[in-house]
Amino acid sequence: MNKAELEKIKKRALEEHIPIIMDETLEVIEKYLSRNKPNRILEIGTAVGYSAICFTEFLAENGVIDTIERETDRVKEARENIKMAEVEDKINIYEGDAVEILPTLNNQYDVVFIDAAKGKYPFFLKEALRMINEDGIIFADNILYKGYVMSDYNKHKQRTAVRNLREYIKEVSENPNLETEILEVGDGLAISRIKNRGNKKID
Ligand code: SAH
Ligand code: MG
């Protein structure tokens, strides 16, 4: 994949204030992907396709990414970017609300990347757990939401998001089948590995 092309996509997304994955967060996920070469990734929140395009580099041969986005304009731009990056055969975009689309999916995923509506994280987790492989991993971006999640800050506008992000952290921490770390990279990244397999490398 052409790095200059990728930089162009990133620059344009930042100019349009589209909340694409931060460099240090991407680095952590890519490290895992490069060591484990997944066959199938599920991404919730495509935006303009930046993270999905980045991930394609680390797929196993014939691997694919299923990604969900509800904003029509972003889907359109994502399709253009994906075409420009020449990875159309590696990314399937599902257009619509992930809350409606996820229950219709029935694939097995090696990796799930949750990066959409914060108020829906507990629901996304439930769906991720239904479809994750027994040695899979679930990443959740923006889990610390500008520090609101770990403080007692309770501004009305963000209250539902913060409550649901806290609920997500509680669920992944208490689930005996998961081993979870919360990293303070970027806007916070939750990493939950399915337990007892222990053969997947994270660092
Ligand atoms: N993963 C992207 C960034 C995603 S930003 C990257 O790093 O390049 C989050 C995106 O999720 C936004 O484009 C938003 O429109 C979308 N989104 C939020 N809630 C959603 C939902 N319930 N269903 C589908 N898409 C959603
Ligand atoms: Mg994000």
Side-chain angles (χ1 to χ4, degrees), residues 19-21 43 45-47 50-51 68-71 74 96-98 113 115-117 124:
I20 59 168
I21 193 167
E43 175 181 75
T46 317
Y50 177 71
S51 52
I68 309 172
E69 174 58 50
R70 65 178 172 193
E71 302 278 337
R74 291 192 178 173
D97 194 320
F113 178 46
D115 192 18
F124 296 156

Side-chain angles (χ1 to χ4, degrees), residues 118-161:
K118 299 175 186 74
K120 297 286 161 29
Y121 271 35
F123 177 77
F124 296 156
L125 174 65
K126 200 176 89 192
E127 289 297 302
L129 288 171
R130 180 175 65 79
M131 293 187 278
I132 194 78
N133 275 330
E134 57 191 13
D135 56 358
I137 193 162
I138 302 168
F139 294 98
D141 192 23
N142 309 98
I143 199 70
L144 297 176
Y145 196 13
K146 302 175 183 170
Y148 302 155
V149 169
M150 293 303 182
S151 73
D152 51 16
Y153 182 90
N154 247 330
K155 208 163 138 187
H156 183 70
K157 218 176 109 205
Q158 289 92 6
R159 203 180 289 154
T160 307

